[in-house]
Amino acid sequence: MFASALCANVDARAEKISEEIAFPAESDANAFGIDILNQAIERCQRGEADQALLLFKAIREQLEPPANVQQLLDAYEATGCRLTRASKGRWGLQLGFGGDSNVNQGISASTLRLGSGDRAIDVELGEVYRPTASLFALAGIDRAFALGNWGTGQLALQSRVNQAIPALNLTSFVAGVAVPFSMLDRPGLVQMDLGATWLGSRFYQQASAATLQWLPSRNDRSWVANFATVRATYPTQRNQDSQLFEAGVWRESVVAPGFGIFGGVSGLYDYAINHRSGGDRLGWRYQFGASASWARWQIQPRLSVLNWRSENVFSPGLIDVVRQHQLVALDVQFIRPIAVNQQVVLEWKTRRADDTVPLYSFKNQTLAIYWRYQL
């Protein structure tokens, strides 16, 4: 999480040049890949220096931009895409609505097997366990700002209201700090986050996270090494408290003008703090996605797969199975700028969870439209 802010004098020059080419003719856009350019500028404004500078480099080498675009690249590169004391920060606002086919994560199975061997019995599950569809509305606001010359901060508040089950209304708040560093002449980032989540009027979860990202190669900045740990606490379900450790690699690459791909793989260990059913968990996760330009639209599909296995049986004598869980999620976004600092996002998501304990198997789809604004 890098927030957006730039050196005052160079930023003014960058914005002035940007205004001059903000709405080029469609033929010019196709000529030098305006969508890739906009992505690079947005990342630079958010302070995501490594990814932005990589895109700037790809634009120079692959797209042969005209002179005015070269000037824009020079201006933003001169800032280093880093926040400074003079930065005023940035506000973000999001409003949207949509529909969820399974807002309560109702399970797919109709029965649950208890016991094992000759003593096993199948219990029929009632309607309370079945999926419930709902319309929803969502609103969010965030603030990004500089912390002197050494880091960035961000505050975010988001709320989702479900029409069918108000008890599952979701509100979350996150506060974070990100600090860049250098090791072995290679850049990196340390990030700390604190978060809280409410379900309806009930305080559901508090979490703290630490993340380290580092570029292992001096020449190839498309590879990023990641390490993260998350402590999750559930005030009303303390047996679910856990400490997650995850390490892996991530890569982003511009394949052709207007088209890029990204992906990563990681291993994870989930430590059960207070005797969680099944104990510790060991698993892995991989993600793959792409970003493609089409007319004035940016299309971004992303596939994520999570697999893990518990250390022990779920409930000895009652549910005598070791939990094996797989969650497959596909997310597709269609993004279109509609004005300066504004965009409309159409998003479709589908998730499918398969588990050896049927209570945790479900599938759902959501379709939503959002309006986003940054100032």
Side-chain angles (χ1 to χ4, degrees), residues 1-3 90-92 139-145 152-159 170-178 191-198 203 205-211 230-231:
M1 174 207 70
F2 276 132
R90 195 176 187 93
W91 287 95
I141 186 171
D142 62 86
R143 168 69 171 167
F145 51 92
T152 65
Q154 184 170 14
L155 303 173
L157 176 66
Q158 188 176 88
S159 182
L170 186 68
T171 301
S172 62
F173 173 77
V174 177
V177 174
Q191 181 171 322
M192 306 290 290
D193 294 294
L194 294 174
T197 303
W198 290 262
F203 184 41
Q205 182 202 70
Q206 62 185 41
S208 57
T211 304
V230 180
R231 172 67 179 265

Side-chain angles (χ1 to χ4, degrees), residues 356-369:
T356 50
V357 178
L359 289 173
Y360 299 97
S361 294
F362 70 91
K363 54 186 177 181
N364 81 316
Q365 295 187 56
T366 61
L367 180 64
I369 186 169

Side-chain angles (χ1 to χ4, degrees), residues 22-35:
F23 301 100
E26 190 67 30
S27 59
D28 293 337
N30 293 332
F32 64 80
I34 189 66
D35 294 304

Side-chain angles (χ1 to χ4, degrees), residues 14-225:
E15 291 185 358
K16 182 178 184 299
I17 299 174
S18 181
E19 290 174 358
E20 296 175 357
I21 65 166
F23 301 100
E26 190 67 30
S27 59
D28 293 337
N30 293 332
F32 64 80
I34 189 66
D35 294 304
I36 291 295
L37 178 64
N38 287 337
Q39 285 188 59
I41 291 174
E42 287 177 4
R43 292 196 172 199
C44 185
Q45 291 177 335
R46 292 197 301 264
E48 299 173 3
D50 298 321
Q51 296 88 343
L53 295 177
L54 175 66
L55 287 173
F56 288 155
K57 180 174 182 292
I59 290 171
R60 291 184 187 279
E61 294 178 353
Q62 300 179 24
L63 304 185
E64 298 181 359
N68 59 343
V69 178
Q70 290 276 13
Q71 292 177 340
L72 181 64
L73 298 181
D74 292 342
Y76 276 109
E77 285 179 334
T79 71
C81 300
R82 300 297 186 188
L83 301 182
T84 70
R85 191 179 303 274
S87 299
K88 295 181 180 180
R90 195 176 187 93
W91 287 95
L93 178 65
Q94 177 173 278
L95 300 173
F97 66 92
D100 191 328
S101 67
N102 186 1
V103 69
N104 61 331
Q105 294 187 5
I107 66 176
S108 306
S110 59
T111 61
L112 175 65
R113 172 157 292 192
L114 301 179
S116 59
D118 296 336
R119 297 184 177 181
I121 59 173
D122 290 328
V123 178
E124 186 172 347
L125 300 174
E127 287 300 316
V128 68
Y129 293 96
R130 310 303 297 168
T132 300
S134 178
L135 298 175
F136 66 86
L138 181 144
I141 186 171
D142 62 86
R143 168 69 171 167
F145 51 92
L147 298 173
N149 291 324
W150 57 270
T152 65
Q154 184 170 14
L155 303 173
L157 176 66
Q158 188 176 88
S159 182
R160 170 173 151 163
V161 177
N162 300 299
Q163 173 265 333
I165 310 181
L168 295 182
N169 291 347
L170 186 68
T171 301
S172 62
F173 173 77
V174 177
V177 174
V179 180
F181 70 93
S182 180
M183 183 174 66
L184 302 178
D185 294 327
R186 297 168 177 84
L189 179 74
V190 175
Q191 181 171 322
M192 306 290 290
D193 294 294
L194 294 174
T197 303
W198 290 262
L199 277 178
S201 60
R202 179 169 56 95
F203 184 41
Y204 176 67
Q205 182 202 70
Q206 62 185 41
S208 57
T211 304
L212 185 148
Q213 297 178 318
W214 184 64
L215 299 180
S217 172
R218 292 183 180 178
N219 300 321
D220 187 355
R221 294 199 168 196
S222 60
W223 288 97
V224 180

